[in-house]
Amino acid sequence: MAPVRSAIIQDIERMHAAGLATMAYYYFDFRDVKKQDCYGLLSSLMSQLSADSNACYNILSKLFSDNIRGTRKPNMDALKECLTEMLNLPGQGPIYIIVDALDECPNYPGRPSAREEVLDFVEELVNLELPDVHLCVASRPEMDIRAIIEPLTSLQISLHDEIGQKEDIIKYINSVVRSDRNMRRWKEEDKRIVVDTLSEKADGM
């Protein structure tokens, strides 16, 4: 996780511990098919909000009951409606939603993709203009993501040229190269080439 995103989460967690804010965090993981679509995102956000709030839990319980006590899978519209109801509850204080690694959500040209559904949801959420809801989306600057996200943002931060970001990447690659059993046998010059090449191509992630 990037240092800036880690710092954001840590700050909000401190606010949450003090009872000053609620946070729901979701990471799109290309290694886990269950964490690559909008359905997984919505389900996770609702689950996290319900764990912090009895009122949110009651809304989720009603969705569960409406779908034959969990024997029928609710559709995407039902999930969106449920989450919107949670976010609209009065007296909750600030709610921070962090969506990380959006670029790892699959995008298949020529047909509606999981990423398009997520981007549609993000746009819908921003357009609700809920005063207590704060949304942070982190991603590589893929063209399709930028086309939707940039017009919606009030603040953008690029991590791709940050010195700290690059230093963390280089440290991680160095660690892997020097701890891997096979790579330890390589010549020092070959190790250096691998580290330099991967660091240059990492693009801030």
Side-chain angles (χ1 to χ4, degrees):
M1 187 186 298
V4 173
R5 294 201 295 278
S6 296
I8 291 171
I9 292 170
Q10 289 169 6
D11 283 347
I12 298 172
E13 283 179 339
R14 282 193 287 269
M15 294 170 64
H16 175 260
L20 301 175
T22 301
M23 181 181 76
Y25 170 80
Y26 191 81
Y27 177 79
F28 285 99
D29 189 345
F30 72 92
R31 298 164 296 186
D32 187 346
V33 293
K34 295 179 181 179
K35 292 187 174 183
Q36 295 178 7
D37 59 22
C38 194
Y39 203 96
L41 168 64
L42 293 169
S43 300
S44 177
L45 295 180
M46 290 190 300
S47 176
Q48 292 176 69
L49 293 174
S50 297
D52 266 350
S53 162
N54 289 333
C56 288
Y57 178 80
N58 291 336
I59 293 171
L60 186 60
S61 294
K62 183 178 184 303
L63 178 68
F64 181 77
S65 298
D66 289 346
N67 286 273
I68 320 177
R69 300 196 60 78
T71 59
R72 184 177 63 200
K73 188 177 180 179
N75 61 31
M76 191 83 73
D77 287 339
L79 294 186
K80 288 182 180 179
E81 184 177 340
C82 183
L83 179 61
T84 301
E85 191 175 349
M86 290 181 180
L87 297 176
N88 270 299
L89 286 169
Q92 293 190 101
I95 301 172
Y96 294 88
I97 296 175
I98 300 174
V99 179
D100 199 358
L102 178 53
D103 55 286
E104 293 192 17
C105 183
N107 186 37
Y108 305 109
R111 59 173 175 155
S113 68
R115 189 187 294 179
E116 287 175 318
E117 288 186 334
V118 173
L119 288 169
D120 286 344
F121 163 68
V122 168
E123 189 171 19
E124 290 169 16
L125 182 57
V126 172
N127 288 337
L128 288 174
E129 297 183 346
L130 301 173
D132 292 326
V133 176
H134 309 275
L135 177 63
C136 175
V137 177
S139 171
R140 287 175 184 262
E142 303 289 349
M143 190 171 295
D144 62 310
I145 295 174
R146 293 180 62 182
I148 299 298
I149 297 296
E150 287 186 353
L152 302 174
T153 56
S154 57
L155 174 64
Q156 297 180 48
I157 300 174
S158 174
L159 303 181
H160 298 279
D161 296 321
E162 294 291 326
I163 293 174
Q165 178 84 345
K166 290 183 177 179
E167 286 178 350
D168 282 353
I169 291 170
I170 292 169
K171 286 178 184 176
Y172 174 75
I173 295 171
N174 261 308
S175 172
V176 171
V177 168
R178 299 187 186 284
S179 62
D180 184 90
R181 182 177 298 176
N182 294 321
M183 290 183 181
R184 280 202 299 255
R185 301 170 186 163
W186 292 6
K187 295 178 182 177
E188 191 62 34
E189 182 181 354
D190 293 337
K191 292 178 184 177
R192 189 165 56 251
I193 290 172
V194 169
V195 171
D196 291 345
T197 301
L198 291 178
S199 300
E200 289 172 4
K201 295 183 178 297
D203 193 25
M205 292 294 288

